Amino acid sequence: MGKNTSPQRRTLMRVAGAGAVACGAALLLPRACSSASYPQGSALAIEFGDLPQGKLRTVEWRGFPVWILRRSGAEIEALASREDGLVDPDSRASAQPSGCRNRHRSLRPDIFVAIGLCTHQGCTPTLASTGGFLCPCHSSRYDLAGRVFKTGPATANLVIPAYRLEAADRLVLGQDG
Ligand code: FES
């Protein structure tokens, strides 16, 4: 990885690398594993009707840990309150489908879907009791929309994969909505 590679590019290469493990043969990497973009392809339907508020569900998709979190109304409102401390509050330099480039970084405000890998060096952040996500490796912090705070070494928001909402309680990973 070159010294001049941008932080966002490095982030995506790391995420792509993590996905490549499960993609099998490197020569057959599908598009999402080799492009500087958000992951797409290999559709996987997920039911989330039984997911309670505040409970983080992780599913494996193409070798990525994908998070699904149902946020409360108060948590959605709180996303506007600490944007001064964020690196990229409008997700201009972060990877997500166009439909998720909004404050809540999701197609539906209450349902958050993200790749659960820190954009610094790929550790797995945890859902913090204070709200948001904390990476245990070097203390990068993200809000509940996966937007990274300036206080840690990570410089890009969590990556949002392609997904679409198929029904009130069902989404399909890998396909744009
Ligand atoms: Fe998350 Fe370094 S890997 S802060």
Side-chain angles (χ1 to χ4, degrees):
M1 203 177 299
K3 217 191 302 185
N4 297 327
T5 307
S6 72
Q8 180 61 9
R9 173 69 178 157
R10 287 196 298 271
T11 292
L12 292 167
M13 289 170 75
R14 284 187 200 106
V15 172
V21 171
C23 288
L27 293 176
L28 299 175
L29 290 180
R31 181 173 160 215
C33 293
S34 57
S35 69
S37 181
Y38 58 89
Q40 304 174 61
S42 299
L44 174 67
I46 299 170
E47 307 279 349
F48 57 89
D50 61 344
L51 184 66
Q53 269 184 4
K55 173 84 175 167
L56 185 67
R57 175 173 296 167
T58 303
V59 300
E60 186 181 325
W61 172 71
R62 301 190 55 186
F64 299 109
V66 176
W67 290 344
I68 302 157
L69 175 71
R70 190 189 299 274
R71 297 173 291 208
S72 69
E75 288 169 338
I76 296 163
E77 278 183 30
L79 293 174
S81 65
R82 299 170 69 192
E83 292 188 323
D84 285 355
L86 298 173
V87 173
D88 185 17
D90 299 322
S91 298
R92 293 177 193 278
S94 299
Q96 65 275 309
S98 58
C100 296
R101 202 179 137 202
N102 47 46
R103 174 168 282 151
H104 40 85
R105 303 191 75 225
S106 56
L107 296 178
R108 203 171 102 183
D110 60 331
I111 300 299
F112 177 57
V113 179
I115 302 290
L117 295 173
C118 180
T119 60
H120 178 224
Q121 290 183 356
C123 289
T124 302
T126 56
L127 185 59
S129 57
T130 51
F133 304 98
L134 172 66
C135 182
C137 293
H138 315 96
S139 302
S140 285
R141 291 168 48 239
Y142 302 83
D143 71 4
L144 284 178
R147 298 179 299 177
V148 69
F149 285 97
K150 296 171 183 170
T151 52
T155 57
N157 296 337
L158 295 181
V159 174
I160 310 296
Y163 70 96
R164 65 181 172 84
L165 296 167
E166 194 170 63
D169 293 323
R170 180 181 167 96
L171 62 84
V172 179
L173 282 174
Q175 297 178 349
D176 280 314

